[in-house]
Amino acid sequence: MMRAKKAFGVSPIEEPPAPLRTKSALGPRGRAWPGVAREGGPVDVFVRDHVRDSLGVSWGFSREVEEGGFLFGEVHRDADAPSRWLVVVTEVIRAEHTEEAPDALVFSPESFASMRRHAEAKRDGASILGWFHTHLVAGPEDRGLSVVDRDLHFSTFRRPWQVAALVCVDPARDPEGREVSFFARQGDFLVPCAVEVLA
Ligand SMILES: [Zn+2]
């Protein structure tokens, strides 16, 4: 679960129309990422290999408190199905200035301000693709997003292509084989996205 202290609209200052792109034009595929390739949602997620490595393996996440951060990258419309989106996660950063609450981590206004500064400083046109946070897995119910998570996504990440990534920190599988899922908005729900790794 994760909460925002208040709703912030998170969107790029300038938003050029997303270009049409085929999936194959996004580049060669990298290593498979078992457990995350699901179909059906309105957004297909592609992650650079270093992003896969950070979220899935190399970053050390707390086993006591939830952590989170933000995703940056490219937005394309699927040339083969223009109502669908293809997003490429090229960078992930851990949030600063989060606050610990009894049941969840809280993004503070400073967390969002620092994310915006990061996006503006890059000046490479990267969009704020969404956010991630960890769940400390103690049972199957922890492997999905909570109602609070959904409310935060709907109030804060309003673009149809913005995604929420969930990193399951399961002591039995962490860090090798850490499960990471991505979700995008479809109507009133957040549905799983298909995920592929780009080399
Ligand atoms: Zn959560």
Side-chain angles (χ1 to χ4, degrees):
M1 198 181 338
M2 178 169 286
R3 282 189 267 135
K5 291 187 84 171
K6 53 180 284 202
F8 288 85
V10 175
S11 60
I13 293 170
E14 295 177 24
E15 191 172 19
L20 285 166
R21 192 73 44 98
T22 62
K23 291 181 187 178
S24 58
L26 295 176
R29 300 303 190 266
R31 292 177 287 175
W33 198 357
V36 296
R38 283 178 270 195
E39 302 286 345
V43 181
D44 284 353
V45 175
F46 297 81
V47 298
R48 292 286 173 202
D49 192 64
H50 68 93
V51 172
R52 184 208 71 89
D53 190 56
S54 297
L55 291 178
V57 181
S58 65
W59 280 358
F61 288 116
S62 170
R63 294 182 183 177
E64 277 85 46
V65 294
E66 294 184 2
E67 297 180 74
F70 303 103
L71 310 171
F72 301 88
E74 307 161 12
V75 183
H76 308 281
R77 283 183 296 142
D78 187 344
D80 296 316
S83 65
R84 296 174 46 78
W85 304 94
L86 310 176
V87 299
V88 182
V89 185
T90 58
E91 187 178 13
V92 55
I93 64 167
R94 298 171 89 145
E96 300 173 30
H97 310 293
T98 54
E99 300 171 12
E100 289 182 27
D103 60 343
L105 185 69
V106 178
F107 283 138
S108 69
E110 292 77 20
S111 302
F112 288 107
S114 128
M115 173 193 63
R116 287 175 182 281
R117 282 196 299 276
H118 183 88
E120 286 160 12
K122 287 171 63 68
R123 297 181 184 280
D124 64 355
S127 298
I128 299 167
L129 292 185
W131 59 296
F132 80 90
H133 75 299
T134 61
H135 276 185
L136 309 176
V137 173
E141 69 279 5
D142 303 319
R143 295 180 182 275
L145 295 176
S146 68
V147 171
V148 173
D149 295 334
R150 190 194 62 188
D151 289 347
L152 168 62
H153 188 83
F154 283 3
S155 65
T156 307
F157 299 94
R158 300 177 182 211
R159 305 291 182 216
W161 39 262
Q162 284 182 314
V163 295
L166 177 62
V167 179
C168 290
V169 178
D170 178 348
R173 299 176 58 188
D174 181 54
E176 296 298 328
R178 196 184 282 156
E179 185 180 297
V180 184
S181 306
F182 290 79
F183 300 85
R185 182 174 193 153
Q186 188 168 57
D188 292 333
F189 299 94
L190 284 174
V191 297
C193 302
V195 184
E196 291 192 69
V197 180
L198 297 180

